[in-house]
């Protein structure tokens, strides 16, 4: 199963190819996507992305995980979260969201089993 292309990104809106939903924040993995609801794990901009936010995508068998920190990079990604991904044998890339989406799409186009979590505002 391939990772779906992120078809579009603008402030507060993301579309995933083959999916009718417009996301504010989203998780993507080979064969699927869904809303990234911060309330599920109590996530805030600081301390930021928690291992619990990534667990679902990590379990999908991805080789690389791309984290989008927001348009202005307001979303923090603590070293402990990066360590969690690496301990699962997964490469991790943390970038500003527009750059993160470009990196994710490039990897997906190369056939890499890539997953992502993206914040589309601040």
């Amino acid at each position: 199963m391939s990772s779906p292309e992120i078809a579009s990104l603008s402030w507060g809106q993301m579309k995933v190819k083959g999916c009718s939903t417009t996301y504010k924040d989203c998780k993507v993995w080979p064969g699927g996507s869904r809303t990234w609801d911060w309330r599920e794990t109590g996530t805030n901009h600081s301390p930021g992305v928690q291992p619990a936010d990534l667990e679902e995508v990590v379990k999908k068998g991805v080789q690389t995980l791309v984290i989008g920190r927001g348009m202005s990079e307001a979303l923090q990604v603590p070293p402990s979260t990066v360590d969690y991904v690496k301990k699962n044998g997964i490469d991790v890339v943390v970038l500003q969201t527009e750059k993160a989406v470009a990196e994710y799409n490039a990897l997906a186009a190369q056939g890499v089993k890539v997953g992502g979590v993206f914040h589309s505002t601040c």
Side-chain angles (χ1 to χ4, degrees):
M1 222 174 276
S2 60
S3 299
E5 177 188 343
I6 308 241
S8 66
L9 167 68
S10 59
W11 184 274
Q13 293 190 329
M14 295 184 73
K15 300 265 314 158
V16 175
K17 193 171 185 175
C19 178
S20 60
T21 305
T22 298
Y23 300 112
K24 176 176 170 267
D25 298 325
C26 76
K27 298 180 179 189
V28 289
W29 57 84
S33 64
R34 79 171 184 94
T35 294
W36 177 17
D37 183 349
W38 291 17
R39 293 171 297 192
E40 292 173 2
T41 55
T43 295
N44 288 299
H45 287 101
S46 181
V49 183
Q50 305 301 305
D53 293 311
L54 307 177
E55 188 176 354
E56 176 180 17
V57 178
V58 164
K59 287 181 175 175
K60 301 288 185 183
V62 298
Q63 297 166 287
T64 302
L65 178 61
V66 180
I67 301 172
R69 294 188 49 210
M71 299 301 214
S72 306
E73 297 185 89
L75 180 60
Q76 301 300 304
V77 181
S80 58
T81 298
V82 172
D83 289 344
Y84 163 76
V85 178
K86 288 180 177 176
K87 282 179 183 159
N88 280 278
I90 299 168
D91 293 328
V92 61
V93 181
V94 179
L95 296 167
Q96 183 267 357
T97 296
E98 289 161 308
K99 292 175 182 166
V101 165
E103 177 70 9
Y104 169 90
N105 278 341
L107 290 167
Q110 293 166 26
V112 174
K113 285 187 163 186
V114 61
V117 293
F118 302 102
H119 178 44
S120 72
T121 58
C122 43

